[in-house]
Amino acid sequence: TDRKLGITRSTERSYRARLRRLVAFRIAEGRDAVQAFTPELVTAYLLAQSARGLGQQSLASHRVAISAFAEWCIAHRLVATNPMAGVTKIPTPERLPRPFSAEERAALTALVLEPKDSLLRTLLWFTGLRVTPLSTIRLKDIAWEPVVVEGYTFPGVIRTVGKGRVMHDVPMHPTLSEHLRDYRRFLQQTQGSAF
């Protein structure tokens, strides 16, 4: 595995799955060498995936995975020219996130959860983090000192690692700070240690 690509392990697994499909397609086409990695092969592959019913977003993610592999091949001198140079980019529709309705918010917050699940819901709610960076948060990543951001004082920040291993400091909403402190007390009382 080449970690220099700066991708997460889940992205790496996703890329590998897409590349396995490309390899299977290449072999089915009777082309069994790295020299077969050409714009024509990739275009034929993407057209075949489209014929199977894959949507624009899925096709675009396949193209991104293959492009990353092409860059790796170039870096390791397995190909002389970029096999993706002649492959048309796949347009994807711009979709804005749909906020929860008032009814959906009420239903989500009314759910009675175990302490850990309740904390995860609160973290998701007040940080907007993706699941992967959220799941890696540890006690050492939480700074409890107040911090001022754009004139507003937050009770602390949470340091997370986002896409491309970029560090982010997420200001803590007061409600989130209370939940984190409550959960820490819960762990100390039940397990004798904080998370």
mmCIF file of all heavy atoms in Angstrom, residues 43-70:
data_model
loop_
_atom_site.group_PDB
_atom_site.id
_atom_site.type_symbol
_atom_site.label_atom_id
_atom_site.label_comp_id
_atom_site.label_asym_id
_atom_site.label_seq_id
_atom_site.Cartn_x
_atom_site.Cartn_y
_atom_site.Cartn_z
ATOM 1 N N THR A 43 -12.364 3.831 -20.928
ATOM 2 C CA THR A 43 -13.627 4.297 -21.514
ATOM 3 C C THR A 43 -14.586 3.128 -21.711
ATOM 4 O O THR A 43 -15.777 3.221 -21.369
ATOM 5 C CB THR A 43 -13.371 5.017 -22.850
ATOM 6 O OG1 THR A 43 -12.515 6.147 -22.606
ATOM 7 C CG2 THR A 43 -14.672 5.501 -23.473
ATOM 8 N N ALA A 44 -14.068 2.008 -22.249
ATOM 9 C CA ALA A 44 -14.917 0.821 -22.453
ATOM 10 C C ALA A 44 -15.442 0.312 -21.115
ATOM 11 O O ALA A 44 -16.612 -0.090 -21.004
ATOM 12 C CB ALA A 44 -14.115 -0.268 -23.171
ATOM 13 N N TYR A 45 -14.586 0.344 -20.093
ATOM 14 C CA TYR A 45 -14.992 -0.115 -18.764
ATOM 15 C C TYR A 45 -16.109 0.756 -18.202
ATOM 16 O O TYR A 45 -17.122 0.255 -17.709
ATOM 17 C CB TYR A 45 -13.780 -0.106 -17.828
ATOM 18 C CG TYR A 45 -14.136 -0.300 -16.378
ATOM 19 C CD1 TYR A 45 -14.503 -1.543 -15.889
ATOM 20 C CD2 TYR A 45 -14.117 0.772 -15.492
ATOM 21 C CE1 TYR A 45 -14.843 -1.725 -14.554
ATOM 22 C CE2 TYR A 45 -14.449 0.615 -14.158
ATOM 23 C CZ TYR A 45 -14.813 -0.645 -13.700
ATOM 24 O OH TYR A 45 -15.160 -0.808 -12.386
ATOM 25 N N LEU A 46 -15.944 2.076 -18.280
ATOM 26 C CA LEU A 46 -16.945 2.991 -17.738
ATOM 27 C C LEU A 46 -18.267 2.871 -18.498
ATOM 28 O O LEU A 46 -19.344 2.929 -17.895
ATOM 29 C CB LEU A 46 -16.427 4.428 -17.760
ATOM 30 C CG LEU A 46 -15.271 4.727 -16.793
ATOM 31 C CD1 LEU A 46 -14.715 6.125 -17.028
ATOM 32 C CD2 LEU A 46 -15.703 4.559 -15.345
ATOM 33 N N LEU A 47 -18.189 2.681 -19.810
ATOM 34 C CA LEU A 47 -19.411 2.477 -20.597
ATOM 35 C C LEU A 47 -20.110 1.187 -20.187
ATOM 36 O O LEU A 47 -21.347 1.139 -20.096
ATOM 37 C CB LEU A 47 -19.079 2.457 -22.095
ATOM 38 C CG LEU A 47 -18.728 3.811 -22.718
ATOM 39 C CD1 LEU A 47 -18.213 3.621 -24.142
ATOM 40 C CD2 LEU A 47 -19.938 4.747 -22.698
ATOM 41 N N ALA A 48 -19.320 0.141 -19.904
ATOM 42 C CA ALA A 48 -19.895 -1.135 -19.468
ATOM 43 C C ALA A 48 -20.566 -0.979 -18.105
ATOM 44 O O ALA A 48 -21.646 -1.533 -17.868
ATOM 45 C CB ALA A 48 -18.809 -2.211 -19.405
ATOM 46 N N GLN A 49 -19.946 -0.200 -17.205
ATOM 47 C CA GLN A 49 -20.544 0.034 -15.890
ATOM 48 C C GLN A 49 -21.838 0.842 -16.020
ATOM 49 O O GLN A 49 -22.810 0.602 -15.315
ATOM 50 C CB GLN A 49 -19.560 0.761 -14.966
ATOM 51 C CG GLN A 49 -18.276 0.004 -14.685
ATOM 52 C CD GLN A 49 -18.517 -1.400 -14.185
ATOM 53 O OE1 GLN A 49 -19.257 -1.610 -13.223
ATOM 54 N NE2 GLN A 49 -17.933 -2.379 -14.846
ATOM 55 N N SER A 50 -21.835 1.799 -16.942
ATOM 56 C CA SER A 50 -23.036 2.595 -17.188
ATOM 57 C C SER A 50 -24.163 1.712 -17.716
ATOM 58 O O SER A 50 -25.326 1.851 -17.296
ATOM 59 C CB SER A 50 -22.727 3.711 -18.195
ATOM 60 O OG SER A 50 -23.890 4.451 -18.479
ATOM 61 N N ALA A 51 -23.812 0.774 -18.608
ATOM 62 C CA ALA A 51 -24.816 -0.150 -19.161
ATOM 63 C C ALA A 51 -25.391 -1.056 -18.068
ATOM 64 O O ALA A 51 -26.534 -1.513 -18.178
ATOM 65 C CB ALA A 51 -24.188 -0.988 -20.273
ATOM 66 N N ARG A 52 -24.596 -1.308 -17.008
ATOM 67 C CA ARG A 52 -25.079 -2.114 -15.879
ATOM 68 C C ARG A 52 -26.035 -1.326 -14.987
ATOM 69 O O ARG A 52 -26.625 -1.880 -14.066
ATOM 70 C CB ARG A 52 -23.907 -2.588 -15.024
ATOM 71 C CG ARG A 52 -23.071 -3.684 -15.652
ATOM 72 C CD ARG A 52 -21.915 -4.101 -14.735
ATOM 73 N NE ARG A 52 -22.405 -4.485 -13.425
ATOM 74 C CZ ARG A 52 -21.965 -4.002 -12.270
ATOM 75 N NH1 ARG A 52 -21.018 -3.092 -12.249
ATOM 76 N NH2 ARG A 52 -22.451 -4.415 -11.120
ATOM 77 N N GLY A 53 -26.138 -0.016 -15.224
ATOM 78 C CA GLY A 53 -27.072 0.796 -14.454
ATOM 79 C C GLY A 53 -26.432 1.716 -13.433
ATOM 80 O O GLY A 53 -27.142 2.341 -12.644
ATOM 81 N N LEU A 54 -25.085 1.809 -13.396
ATOM 82 C CA LEU A 54 -24.449 2.715 -12.438
ATOM 83 C C LEU A 54 -24.779 4.159 -12.798
ATOM 84 O O LEU A 54 -24.754 4.547 -13.969
ATOM 85 C CB LEU A 54 -22.927 2.516 -12.443
ATOM 86 C CG LEU A 54 -22.371 1.650 -11.311
ATOM 87 C CD1 LEU A 54 -22.861 0.223 -11.467
ATOM 88 C CD2 LEU A 54 -20.854 1.692 -11.298
ATOM 89 N N GLY A 55 -25.067 4.959 -11.787
ATOM 90 C CA GLY A 55 -25.386 6.369 -11.991
ATOM 91 C C GLY A 55 -24.136 7.218 -12.158
ATOM 92 O O GLY A 55 -23.007 6.742 -11.994
ATOM 93 N N GLN A 56 -24.347 8.501 -12.452
ATOM 94 C CA GLN A 56 -23.236 9.425 -12.699
ATOM 95 C C GLN A 56 -22.292 9.514 -11.504
ATOM 96 O O GLN A 56 -21.077 9.519 -11.661
ATOM 97 C CB GLN A 56 -23.779 10.819 -13.023
ATOM 98 C CG GLN A 56 -24.586 10.903 -14.308
ATOM 99 C CD GLN A 56 -23.719 10.725 -15.543
ATOM 100 O OE1 GLN A 56 -23.619 9.619 -16.080
ATOM 101 N NE2 GLN A 56 -23.112 11.783 -15.987
ATOM 102 N N GLN A 57 -22.863 9.573 -10.293
ATOM 103 C CA GLN A 57 -22.030 9.707 -9.090
ATOM 104 C C GLN A 57 -21.134 8.487 -8.914
ATOM 105 O O GLN A 57 -19.943 8.611 -8.618
ATOM 106 C CB GLN A 57 -22.923 9.898 -7.858
ATOM 107 C CG GLN A 57 -22.206 10.432 -6.635
ATOM 108 C CD GLN A 57 -21.855 11.896 -6.760
ATOM 109 O OE1 GLN A 57 -22.670 12.701 -7.201
ATOM 110 N NE2 GLN A 57 -20.648 12.248 -6.381
ATOM 111 N N SER A 58 -21.692 7.295 -9.109
ATOM 112 C CA SER A 58 -20.904 6.063 -8.976
ATOM 113 C C SER A 58 -19.842 5.967 -10.058
ATOM 114 O O SER A 58 -18.705 5.579 -9.797
ATOM 115 C CB SER A 58 -21.817 4.837 -9.042
ATOM 116 O OG SER A 58 -22.683 4.811 -7.947
ATOM 117 N N LEU A 59 -20.209 6.328 -11.288
ATOM 118 C CA LEU A 59 -19.239 6.303 -12.386
ATOM 119 C C LEU A 59 -18.095 7.274 -12.107
ATOM 120 O O LEU A 59 -16.923 6.961 -12.354
ATOM 121 C CB LEU A 59 -19.918 6.654 -13.710
ATOM 122 C CG LEU A 59 -20.869 5.600 -14.276
ATOM 123 C CD1 LEU A 59 -21.653 6.169 -15.455
ATOM 124 C CD2 LEU A 59 -20.112 4.345 -14.696
ATOM 125 N N ALA A 60 -18.440 8.447 -11.582
ATOM 126 C CA ALA A 60 -17.407 9.433 -11.256
ATOM 127 C C ALA A 60 -16.469 8.904 -10.182
ATOM 128 O O ALA A 60 -15.254 9.115 -10.246
ATOM 129 C CB ALA A 60 -18.054 10.745 -10.813
ATOM 130 N N SER A 61 -17.013 8.174 -9.192
ATOM 131 C CA SER A 61 -16.147 7.631 -8.136
ATOM 132 C C SER A 61 -15.242 6.534 -8.691
ATOM 133 O O SER A 61 -14.095 6.396 -8.272
ATOM 134 C CB SER A 61 -16.983 7.120 -6.964
ATOM 135 O OG SER A 61 -17.731 5.986 -7.331
ATOM 136 N N HIS A 62 -15.732 5.766 -9.664
ATOM 137 C CA HIS A 62 -14.876 4.783 -10.330
ATOM 138 C C HIS A 62 -13.745 5.492 -11.067
ATOM 139 O O HIS A 62 -12.586 5.059 -11.009
ATOM 140 C CB HIS A 62 -15.694 3.943 -11.333
ATOM 141 C CG HIS A 62 -16.442 2.819 -10.699
ATOM 142 N ND1 HIS A 62 -16.014 1.518 -10.759
ATOM 143 C CD2 HIS A 62 -17.589 2.800 -9.972
ATOM 144 C CE1 HIS A 62 -16.869 0.742 -10.116
ATOM 145 N NE2 HIS A 62 -17.838 1.509 -9.629
ATOM 146 N N ARG A 63 -14.084 6.569 -11.750
ATOM 147 C CA ARG A 63 -13.061 7.304 -12.504
ATOM 148 C C ARG A 63 -11.994 7.887 -11.582
ATOM 149 O O ARG A 63 -10.811 7.864 -11.890
ATOM 150 C CB ARG A 63 -13.716 8.420 -13.322
ATOM 151 C CG ARG A 63 -12.758 9.064 -14.313
ATOM 152 C CD ARG A 63 -13.362 10.286 -14.985
ATOM 153 N NE ARG A 63 -12.498 10.800 -16.012
ATOM 154 C CZ ARG A 63 -11.373 11.482 -15.779
ATOM 155 N NH1 ARG A 63 -10.989 11.708 -14.527
ATOM 156 N NH2 ARG A 63 -10.621 11.913 -16.774
ATOM 157 N N VAL A 64 -12.426 8.397 -10.427
ATOM 158 C CA VAL A 64 -11.474 8.958 -9.450
ATOM 159 C C VAL A 64 -10.514 7.875 -8.966
ATOM 160 O O VAL A 64 -9.296 8.095 -8.870
ATOM 161 C CB VAL A 64 -12.229 9.595 -8.265
ATOM 162 C CG1 VAL A 64 -11.285 9.904 -7.112
ATOM 163 C CG2 VAL A 64 -12.949 10.852 -8.712
ATOM 164 N N ALA A 65 -11.044 6.687 -8.657
ATOM 165 C CA ALA A 65 -10.198 5.578 -8.189
ATOM 166 C C ALA A 65 -9.187 5.181 -9.260
ATOM 167 O O ALA A 65 -8.003 4.957 -8.973
ATOM 168 C CB ALA A 65 -11.063 4.378 -7.802
ATOM 169 N N ILE A 66 -9.651 5.097 -10.511
ATOM 170 C CA ILE A 66 -8.758 4.703 -11.606
ATOM 171 C C ILE A 66 -7.711 5.789 -11.851
ATOM 172 O O ILE A 66 -6.552 5.489 -12.130
ATOM 173 C CB ILE A 66 -9.580 4.396 -12.879
ATOM 174 C CG1 ILE A 66 -10.515 3.212 -12.617
ATOM 175 C CG2 ILE A 66 -8.660 4.086 -14.056
ATOM 176 C CD1 ILE A 66 -11.577 3.007 -13.684
ATOM 177 N N SER A 67 -8.107 7.064 -11.704
ATOM 178 C CA SER A 67 -7.152 8.171 -11.864
ATOM 179 C C SER A 67 -6.056 8.109 -10.811
ATOM 180 O O SER A 67 -4.880 8.345 -11.109
ATOM 181 C CB SER A 67 -7.874 9.522 -11.779
ATOM 182 O OG SER A 67 -8.731 9.692 -12.871
ATOM 183 N N ALA A 68 -6.443 7.781 -9.575
ATOM 184 C CA ALA A 68 -5.436 7.652 -8.503
ATOM 185 C C ALA A 68 -4.470 6.518 -8.827
ATOM 186 O O ALA A 68 -3.255 6.644 -8.612
ATOM 187 C CB ALA A 68 -6.120 7.398 -7.165
ATOM 188 N N PHE A 69 -5.000 5.417 -9.367
ATOM 189 C CA PHE A 69 -4.141 4.296 -9.755
ATOM 190 C C PHE A 69 -3.223 4.698 -10.906
ATOM 191 O O PHE A 69 -2.042 4.322 -10.936
ATOM 192 C CB PHE A 69 -4.997 3.090 -10.143
ATOM 193 C CG PHE A 69 -4.196 1.901 -10.585
ATOM 194 C CD1 PHE A 69 -3.303 1.279 -9.719
ATOM 195 C CD2 PHE A 69 -4.326 1.403 -11.875
ATOM 196 C CE1 PHE A 69 -2.558 0.184 -10.131
ATOM 197 C CE2 PHE A 69 -3.585 0.308 -12.291
ATOM 198 C CZ PHE A 69 -2.699 -0.310 -11.417
ATOM 199 N N ALA A 70 -3.741 5.482 -11.844
ATOM 200 C CA ALA A 70 -2.922 5.946 -12.969
ATOM 201 C C ALA A 70 -1.745 6.788 -12.469
ATOM 202 O O ALA A 70 -0.609 6.628 -12.932
ATOM 203 C CB ALA A 70 -3.779 6.742 -13.947
#
